[in-house]
Amino acid sequence: MTECDLNDVQALDARAREILLLNDRGGYTVPTDGLYPYQWNWDSMVAAWGFAAFDLDRAWQEVERLFSGQWPNGMVPHILFHRPDPGYFPGPDVWGTAGRGPLPSSGITQPPVAASFVRRLWEKDRGRPEAEALFEPLLAWHRWFMEWRCEGGAIFVTHPWEAGRDNAPDWDGAMAAIEPAGVQPYTRRDTAHVDASMRPTRADYDRYIWLVERGRRLGWDEAAMAEGAPFRVADPGMTFILMGACRDLAALGRGLGRDVAEIGEWIGTLERGAESLWNPAIGAYDGRDLGTGAFAGALTNASYLCWLGGVDDERMLAKFDGMLGRVPYPVASLDPADPRFDARRYWRGPTWAIMNALIGLGLAEMGHAAQAQALRRRTAQLIAEHAFAEYFDPLTGAPAGGGTFTWTAAVWLAWASPRARGA
Ligand code: 2M8
């Protein structure tokens, strides 16, 4: 697609808006009908960014709905179960979080992109009371991360679902060490919606559910769960996303006349933590099992989030340029040269528009305009050719997973579309 195909662009813009409205459940958005029938944390914040392209009131409302589920300890859950829906497993009964937060929810969190998108909303719409009201809840959530998910300055996850990159190779070592004995019999729902070859395996799911059952048994009490925790993997994705979100929250705080000294300290800590995730064996930022100290040895799309975190790394830029020349539909969630690469299986190969947008925003912020623009154009081409799928085969562009997907539509409207102004 060239920038001249204005009719195509207008049609795609209209379709993307239609998808956001289709997935709107009245103040919050589901990722896609059927497969994911609830409000997911980071999907929803990307949705807010997309809504901001045509309806700022609706955008703010999306953020407010997410924070209406914040727990008293500051944690913002990865799923809010506003209304029961039997189409998704595991639902609220399996999580068993009653009494922990104001709404039925999961017991873990997800990548904290909220502050970055709230900053963008506020920059379009200064003076809104919502930004004032959201500052403290955002601060509390970041503080929770620094207290419960930070070791040596790097952010770790206690469940693969927390990272958002569910079956990425980063977790393989720690997952293999779990013996999922005693998991209650369950029926997966995801494979009723999407071909099993595009989803995590049965072995993955047994361990996902085993970890959920452990959290439920311990009442989702962070101190209790930290003791003898069976799964703790430091994640470059979470570390860079929180670092970028802290910078955005500090900018917002300064704009609102708030004290941001605490946030400045967190950024320093996270910068030191990011250095500990540099794996010289692959020349990239990498996931690290905190139980064994072992790196995953995986160059993933999360490795390229360094710029989003504000880390201007020339070594990663050289890698990125080489990758753009080799992968037809970048950015693959796992380097295609890795023997674990699987072009269709979820976070073990496919390209995700949301990750491209985060990488592109970081590149632009660090002054790498040519790379940012190249990634933006190629993401636009991918979506124009293959529509608003959940993810895409990085070698052929073929759509995979769920269709009419919220974050792909939102990324189009806010960033990839040649008419986007939100970047
Ligand atoms: C996927 O994760 C959920 C669990 O949270 C699932 O597979 O059931 C991931 O791609 C995650 O990043 C995303 O937020 C979620 C909804 O799109 O789906």
Side-chain angles (χ1 to χ4, degrees), residues 31 36 40 42-43 78 88 110 164 166 199 346-347 352 405:
Y36 303 121
W40 257 262
W42 69 327
D43 299 66
H78 102 292
Y88 182 78
Q110 253 196 337
D166 299 7
R199 295 287 305 173
Y346 214 35
W347 291 90
W352 294 74
F405 219 82

Side-chain angles (χ1 to χ4, degrees), residues 85-114:
D85 190 312
Y88 182 78
F89 175 85
D93 48 327
V94 182
W95 285 94
T97 59
R100 297 293 314 192
L103 297 176
S105 74
S106 69
I108 57 171
T109 196
Q110 253 196 337
V113 294

Side-chain angles (χ1 to χ4, degrees), residues 114-262:
S116 296
F117 293 122
V118 166
R119 178 193 176 173
R120 287 185 160 79
L121 258 58
W122 170 74
E123 274 170 355
K124 281 186 164 203
D125 199 16
R126 287 182 195 234
R128 287 288 288 234
E130 289 89 340
E132 286 274 357
L134 283 162
F135 181 76
E136 287 297 335
L138 284 162
L139 195 66
W141 189 24
H142 289 201
R143 195 178 289 126
W144 174 88
F145 267 107
M146 299 309 289
E147 185 174 1
W148 296 111
R149 292 290 185 274
C150 187
E151 186 167 300
I155 299 299
F156 65 88
V157 292
T158 60
H159 192 298
W161 285 341
E162 233 168 20
R165 300 182 296 120
D166 299 7
N167 64 342
D170 305 54
W171 333 123
D172 286 2
M175 286 286 267
I178 291 175
E179 178 44 60
V183 169
Q184 294 300 306
Y186 64 90
T187 306
R188 284 175 67 168
R189 303 275 179 225
D190 58 324
T191 43
H193 300 285
V194 169
D195 192 289
S197 66
M198 299 179 188
R199 295 287 305 173
T201 61
R202 173 79 201 200
D204 288 326
Y205 256 80
D206 283 352
R207 286 162 178 79
Y208 296 156
I209 302 308
W210 186 85
L211 285 166
V212 170
E213 289 182 353
R214 177 178 185 270
R216 185 179 63 198
R217 216 172 33 248
L218 297 173
W220 299 105
D221 177 81
E222 292 295 348
M225 288 191 292
E227 273 192 40
F231 185 96
R232 291 184 330 127
V233 184
D235 175 14
M238 290 295 249
T239 304
F240 289 129
I241 286 172
L242 184 63
M243 209 189 290
C246 280
R247 293 187 202 283
D248 288 321
L249 189 59
L252 176 68
R254 278 191 295 273
L256 297 173
R258 306 294 181 96
D259 180 0
V260 298
E262 185 183 13

